Amino acid sequence: RGAGPLSRLGTPEGPVTFLMLGDSHGAALADGVSHLATAEGLAGVLSVSDACAPLLDFPGNYLPSRARCERAQRAIPHLVDSLRPTRVVLHAAWGGYHRRDPARFERVLTQTLDAFAARGVQVVIVGDTPGARDNVPINLAKAAAFGTPIDLAWPAHEVRQREDATERLLREQAAKRSFTYVDIDDRLCEGGGCRLVAAGLPLYWDHSHLTGRGSRWVASLVGPELLGRGSPPSAPRLGLAAAVSAD
């Protein structure tokens, strides 16, 4: 009914217990969520649409995406009714949508969460990743090749200042319905800057989308909150410091 291609997460067999909805950031995190689900013997379904908030009626970021977003968003209630998951995981670049139209974002967020609550579904809202100032792997490669200093990591205080209004709204709306809000920034932004690498490899393949390995590492930090069962697999050992420099 307009949801577009669906992907299986977790175990290839067994009943679906969770539905993950998101934009391209949601797609980037999905590998890690699938890894966690497999470890727990859980099965889920992924539905994502680039530049589209996983909400019931919020316009896409770009004109070419708006008809596609409308179809995907209208399909959300049908997906929940047909799959009957016990949990819905939402992950997106929330701040960009919120800053574009704060009043509409809050209204549609409220309507969406109310619709899930009316269906008896537990919801986990995963906050956005902090990202970096510019393309991480390209700039790390340039720094290694030419010995030039780089300043890629966002300072933690800048991320919190930029995202505070959005995260506060998401947290408050989740709490009103006994849903869960998972703060990614708190895990990735420690001390002076936000982490860009784990075990010596970039967390992002550009400036904001997690790599497959980055997705698994981030998901491992919040596993019990995401799927509500067991303990997450051990996170890979951290490599380079958050504020990466060439000197």
Side-chain angles (χ1 to χ4, degrees):
R1 297 203 186 185
L6 303 178
S7 301
R8 184 86 171 190
L9 300 178
T11 60
E13 299 178 355
V16 170
T17 59
F18 71 95
L19 170 65
M20 183 171 181
L21 303 170
D23 56 8
S24 62
H25 285 211
L29 182 63
D31 182 68
V33 174
S34 186
H35 183 64
L36 288 174
T38 299
E40 292 293 332
L42 300 175
V45 166
L46 172 70
S47 177
V48 293
S49 192
D50 178 46
C52 302
L55 302 173
L56 291 181
D57 184 22
F58 195 87
N61 281 344
Y62 314 109
L63 284 175
S65 72
R66 294 195 173 173
R68 169 172 51 82
C69 290
E70 184 178 354
R71 290 193 299 271
Q73 292 165 349
R74 285 182 175 178
I76 290 174
H78 302 297
L79 280 175
V80 175
D81 291 342
S82 61
L83 295 172
R84 307 188 74 175
T86 58
R87 178 170 296 229
V88 172
V89 178
L90 306 175
H91 180 55
W94 301 112
Y97 303 116
H98 184 210
R99 288 187 288 272
R100 177 153 59 87
D101 190 340
R104 182 167 185 170
F105 181 88
E106 181 171 359
R107 182 176 70 254
V108 173
L109 173 67
T110 299
Q111 293 170 349
T112 303
L113 297 183
D114 283 345
F116 288 134
R119 289 167 166 79
V121 177
Q122 275 298 310
V123 176
V124 179
I125 304 174
V126 183
D128 197 15
T129 48
R133 297 182 188 275
D134 201 352
N135 187 293
V136 175
I138 288 177
N139 281 280
L140 290 180
K142 287 180 178 179
F146 302 111
T148 54
I150 56 174
D151 182 21
L152 286 177
W154 289 112
H157 73 274
E158 286 191 28
V159 171
R160 294 190 179 98
Q161 183 178 39
R162 182 185 71 213
E163 301 299 333
D164 179 68
T166 302
E167 292 186 352
R168 185 169 62 250
L169 173 63
L170 294 171
R171 193 186 302 274
E172 289 174 354
Q173 291 297 324
K176 283 182 180 179
R177 298 161 181 82
S178 298
F179 292 162
T180 300
Y181 177 73
V182 179
D183 193 332
I184 298 294
D185 289 344
D186 277 357
R187 273 76 167 190
L188 296 186
C189 300
E190 301 171 337
C194 299
R195 295 192 180 278
L196 302 180
V197 298
L201 295 174
L203 288 175
Y204 304 96
W205 58 262
D206 59 359
H207 72 286
S208 63
H209 295 86
L210 294 168
T211 65
R213 185 180 180 87
S215 172
R216 292 186 181 199
W217 187 79
V218 170
S220 75
L221 301 178
V222 295
E225 293 169 275
L226 280 177
L227 300 179
R229 287 180 55 178
S231 301
S234 298
R237 178 182 56 83
L238 284 173
L240 301 176
V244 179
S245 63
D247 50 16

